[in-house]
Amino acid sequence: MSPLRKTAFVAGALYLLTFVSIPTLVLYVPVHASTYIVGAGSDTGVIVGAILEVIVAFAGIGTAVTLFPVVKRRNEGIALGVVGVRVLEAGGILVGVAAVLTLVSLRQAGAGPDALVTGHALVALYDRMFTISQSLCPPVNALLLGSLLYQSRLVPRVLPLLGFIGAPLLFAADIAVMFGLIGMHSPLAGLAALPIALWEFSLGVWLVVKGFKASP
């Protein structure tokens, strides 16, 4: 396996690893209950979800750092932008995780009804950080990285085209969520995120299975 093929494989594997947080859609359901902080029951699922999100944060940085030596040959400034966006996304994810773990700590400490407002604030902080990091940053990354891959033809052009199509859709959905026009977990928001998810998943699979194409 050549060094370039190894780079493609590692980058693809890291892209696929960023999908391990999908179970948090179920694991974090109890957190959004209005009385979670004063309720009873196990916190194991929530803690597992937090760990999965930490993995996603570092895997996301890994994708950008791994691809940087390859895509910088096309445009180093944009390649640095890809790394910067991934670091920003990871930072937002970790802030959200910190909010969730703080909520769990207060619950385990036996916080009473007086902590309900604090619990709601922590959940709102997580939701906002999710929108900024895991929902707003991916379309920016798709435009930056997609443009480099499209121009260099290191992968089939249909893959970055998925990102180009999905970016404005997810941007529009994020703005709608911020203004309260649609819910963060509404079916419409989920559909808007689908093309970007497909772009990242397809890119990961292609890099693992095929690697980079010869670039003109």
Side-chain angles (χ1 to χ4, degrees):
M1 186 180 288
S2 68
L4 191 61
R5 182 69 185 91
K6 289 179 182 178
T7 297
F9 183 88
V10 171
L14 288 171
Y15 257 108
L16 296 179
L17 187 61
T18 61
F19 285 85
V20 299
S21 66
I22 290 177
T24 58
L25 296 173
V26 175
L27 295 174
Y28 282 173
V29 167
V31 170
H32 288 84
S34 60
T35 58
Y36 171 77
I37 197 169
V38 294
S42 173
D43 297 310
T44 302
V46 178
I47 295 172
V48 170
I51 293 172
L52 293 178
E53 288 205 289
V54 171
I55 293 173
V56 169
F58 288 107
I61 295 175
T63 61
V65 172
T66 305
L67 289 174
F68 177 76
V70 179
V71 297
K72 75 173 184 178
R73 301 170 189 172
R74 184 66 192 182
N75 188 308
E76 187 169 358
I78 296 178
L80 282 172
V82 173
V83 176
V85 170
R86 278 304 199 186
V87 171
L88 180 63
E89 178 181 354
I93 292 173
L94 294 178
V95 170
V97 169
V100 170
L101 293 180
T102 300
L103 179 64
V104 171
S105 296
L106 289 173
R107 185 174 189 253
Q108 292 176 342
D114 291 341
L116 282 172
V117 174
T118 302
H120 296 165
L122 289 170
V123 173
L125 174 61
Y126 171 80
D127 288 344
R128 290 303 184 185
M129 293 309 302
F130 181 94
T131 300
I132 293 172
S133 59
Q134 299 189 65
S135 194
L136 195 59
C137 286
V140 177
N141 183 70
L143 294 176
L144 295 176
L145 180 59
S147 66
L148 295 174
L149 295 178
Y150 185 87
Q151 294 169 16
S152 63
R153 301 184 184 181
L154 288 169
V155 299
R157 283 185 160 181
V158 66
L159 297 183
L161 281 176
L162 285 173
F164 296 155
I165 293 171
L169 293 176
L170 191 50
F171 273 132
D174 289 336
I175 296 301
V177 169
M178 290 179 183
F179 281 96
L181 301 177
I182 62 174
M184 176 179 159
H185 302 289
S186 68
L188 189 58
L191 287 174
L194 191 58
I196 288 293
L198 185 59
W199 134 255
E200 294 196 349
F201 184 78
S202 301
L203 178 61
V205 171
W206 180 271
L207 292 177
V208 167
V209 176
K210 294 290 188 179
F212 296 115
K213 296 173 63 178
S215 173

